[in-house]
């Protein structure tokens, strides 16, 4: 963003070390937000710079990551990111709202990178996964919050600290800024 492209690339090189053989990006056990954060960061660098060589260099990390998600979501009761006991900022054990927002953002970035690198079949496959995942998350949010209720930190547990549940509008762009659930959540935060 500030024009320090080479510095950013050196930092992003470090991200790639956290991808396991199964395709999951994770800096430590249970930290499932790293999955979407890594995909988003690696791909966003291309989107900001237009450096197609960078896109081609990092693209091989994307198909295995999306495959991990495609194998993981069907095993989950709600077809979302699995529950975790990460005790991250939310302080819950369960399905983190924010982990799902990050994963969708990473998946949307994967679509864009596949398109940029000419991987049209991957782009269609990734987009289908994104659409299915988005529908599953929206359904779960509807079940948890109704049409105008508070959007909690966890999608299957009570309590916790507001953190990743505040990412639905930006950067994830999963929810409309004027969605009543966003309004209710922000009002609760302000109180």
């Amino acid at each position: 963003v500030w024009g320090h492209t080479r510095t950013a690339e050196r930092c992003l090189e470090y991200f790639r070390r956290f991808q396991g053989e199964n395709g999951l990006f994770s800096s430590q056990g249970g930290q499932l937000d790293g999955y979407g954060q890594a995909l988003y960061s690696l791909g966003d660098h291309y989107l900001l710079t237009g450096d197609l060589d960078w896109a081609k260099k990092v693209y091989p990390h994307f198909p295995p990551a999306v495959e991990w998600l495609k194998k993981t979501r069907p095993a989950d009761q709600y077809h979302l990111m699995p529950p975790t006991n990460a005790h991250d900022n939310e302080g819950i054990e369960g399905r983190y709202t924010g982990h799902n927002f990050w994963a969708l953002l990473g998946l949307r970035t994967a679509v864009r990178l596949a398109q940029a690198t000419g991987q049209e079949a991957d782009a269609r496959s990734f987009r289908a996964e994104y659409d299915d995942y988005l529908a599953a998350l929206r359904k779960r949010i509807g079940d948890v919050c109704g049409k105008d209720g508070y959007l909690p930190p966890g999608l299957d547990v009570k309590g916790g600290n507001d953190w990743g549940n505040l990412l639905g509008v930006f950067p994830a762009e999963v929810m409309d800024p004027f969605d009543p659930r966003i309004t209710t959540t922000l009002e609760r935060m302000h109180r």
Side-chain angles (χ1 to χ4, degrees):
V1 171
W2 290 98
H4 299 281
T5 305
R6 186 62 197 125
T7 301
E9 287 173 2
R10 285 195 309 268
C11 292
L12 292 169
E13 289 289 340
Y14 190 70
F15 275 42
R16 299 186 316 155
R17 297 178 191 174
F18 290 101
Q19 187 173 30
E21 290 182 19
N22 63 358
L24 173 64
F25 282 96
S26 179
S27 62
Q28 51 190 306
Q31 295 291 106
L32 298 176
D33 51 354
Y35 171 82
Q37 290 169 353
L39 291 176
Y40 169 67
S41 298
L42 290 168
D44 195 50
H45 186 71
Y46 160 73
L47 297 172
L48 289 170
T49 64
D51 183 346
L52 191 55
D53 288 337
W54 171 263
K56 290 177 181 176
K57 178 179 176 179
V58 299
Y59 183 75
H61 293 274
F62 283 71
V66 175
E67 273 308 304
W68 175 85
L69 189 66
K70 285 181 175 184
K71 290 177 182 172
T72 301
R73 285 185 51 244
D76 181 71
Q77 174 182 356
Y78 303 111
H79 298 275
L80 302 174
M81 289 293 262
T84 182
N85 61 353
H87 288 284
D88 202 359
N89 296 309
E90 290 86 344
I92 62 171
E93 291 186 19
R95 289 170 184 82
Y96 284 58
T97 305
H99 290 183
N100 287 282
F101 286 153
W102 277 115
L104 277 164
L105 178 56
L107 192 52
R108 190 174 71 237
T109 304
V111 172
R112 296 173 79 183
L113 204 65
Q115 291 169 333
T117 57
Q119 304 297 321
E120 291 303 324
D122 283 353
R124 286 189 298 277
S125 172
F126 297 172
R127 183 61 198 208
E129 182 68 13
Y130 177 86
D131 291 342
D132 184 70
Y133 189 178
L134 180 61
L137 180 58
R138 285 185 172 160
K139 179 182 182 329
R140 187 65 192 148
I141 287 172
D143 292 345
V144 170
C145 318
K147 292 182 180 179
D148 59 1
Y150 165 68
L151 179 62
L155 295 168
D156 60 338
V157 295
K158 302 260 186 229
N161 303 308
D162 294 308
W163 192 263
N165 56 318
L166 304 176
L167 302 171
V169 173
F170 181 82
E173 298 180 18
V174 169
M175 300 185 74
D176 185 286
F178 301 102
D179 185 308
R181 293 167 291 203
I182 296 297
T183 303
T184 299
T185 303
L186 291 176
E187 286 173 353
R188 179 177 168 150
M189 289 288 304
H190 290 164
R191 280 193 306 275

